[in-house]
Amino acid sequence: VALANNHVLDYDEPAFIQTLAELSQCSIAACGGGLNIDEARTPAVISAGGVSIAFLGYSELADIFWTYSYPRSFRAQKARPGVAPMDEKIIVEDVKRAKALADHVVVSFHWGEEYIRMPNPKQIGFAHIAVDAGASLVLGHHPHVLQPVEVYDGGVIFYSLGNFVVDQKKPDTVESMIARVSFSPGKVVSAEILPMKIEECRPRPLTGWAAQAAL
């Protein structure tokens, strides 16, 4: 679970700390957030099928706050819970460190502009920075709509996966996908888009002409 987003601290530190504890108790690996900045930057490493993958997460919106009467940002600090910021130096350091721990690195970015169907230059730049540093896969989210997919220097970039489980009903916001990516220890073997449509708040697979139209 990638925790780096702009809502994970909506109910402040006690709820966020409880979230971390619940995930740990359920043995659900988490990245992108933690009790301090070091923990938020620590990769979640998963091994399966003879392949190890390190997951990292960052939020472009780490420095937002909801009210001037309580200007508490989402960014984790040395002694404060929060999320990892989308900072070039941090990302390069973390990806290189994670690459030494696993066969592949997957980077999750909470970024971009809501309801815009194309990635902006900042997204493209950070995606390329992550791949150049050693990431095999970049997963983007926050725009609430789908954005394009790019193959870049052996890495695969999903600029926005759109919504998934949500109650938004505008046509663009109910188009969704599952990114199915296969790895061998040495490379990305394949990357597929499984087109989905959100109905009654839940994603359902598309088939036939509807799937082709979505692609």
Side-chain angles (χ1 to χ4, degrees), residues 22 40 73 130 135 147 206:
E22 295 286 351
S73 75
Q147 291 184 348
L206 292 173

Side-chain angles (χ1 to χ4, degrees), residues 95-96 99 103-107 128-137:
V95 171
K96 288 182 176 180
K99 185 65 177 170
D103 299 319
H104 295 279
V105 179
V106 175
V107 179
H128 290 182
I129 285 167
V131 175
D132 289 341
S136 300
L137 177 64

Side-chain angles (χ1 to χ4, degrees), residues 144 162-168 173 176 198-203:
H144 294 289
N163 286 326
F164 201 64
V165 178
V166 76
D167 62 354
Q168 293 184 333
T173 65
S176 186
I198 300 167
E199 298 174 348
E200 301 299 326
C201 306
R202 293 178 292 178

Side-chain angles (χ1 to χ4, degrees), residues 111-126:
W111 62 6
E113 302 167 67
E114 291 185 332
Y115 312 112
I116 301 298
R117 296 296 298 260
M118 293 296 291
N120 61 37
K122 188 174 183 179
Q123 288 172 265
I124 296 169
F126 270 91

Side-chain angles (χ1 to χ4, degrees), residues 31 43-44 53-58 95 98 104-108 134-139 181 183:
C31 66
I53 301 176
F55 292 85
L56 294 163
Y58 305 93
V95 171
H104 295 279
V105 179
V106 175
V107 179
S108 167
S136 300
L137 177 64
V138 171
L139 302 175
V181 183
F183 300 93

Side-chain angles (χ1 to χ4, degrees), residues 190-206:
S190 65
E192 299 175 77
I193 295 171
L194 306 182
M196 314 289 285
K197 183 177 181 180
I198 300 167
E199 298 174 348
E200 301 299 326
C201 306
R202 293 178 292 178
R204 300 189 187 281
L206 292 173

Side-chain angles (χ1 to χ4, degrees), residues 44-114:
V45 181
I46 307 276
S47 296
V51 180
S52 58
I53 301 176
F55 292 85
L56 294 163
Y58 305 93
S59 175
E60 182 181 6
L61 304 163
D63 293 317
I64 66 165
F65 54 91
W66 294 128
T67 172
Y68 283 101
S69 64
Y70 181 55
R72 199 273 194 216
S73 75
F74 283 43
R75 181 191 287 253
Q77 297 182 6
K78 282 190 175 182
R80 190 177 79 176
V83 304
M86 201 170 86
D87 175 278
E88 179 176 350
K89 182 180 177 182
I90 286 174
I91 292 163
V92 170
E93 287 178 357
D94 293 353
V95 171
K96 288 182 176 180
R97 186 165 55 240
K99 185 65 177 170
L101 301 174
D103 299 319
H104 295 279
V105 179
V106 175
V107 179
S108 167
F109 284 119
H110 203 75
W111 62 6
E113 302 167 67
E114 291 185 332

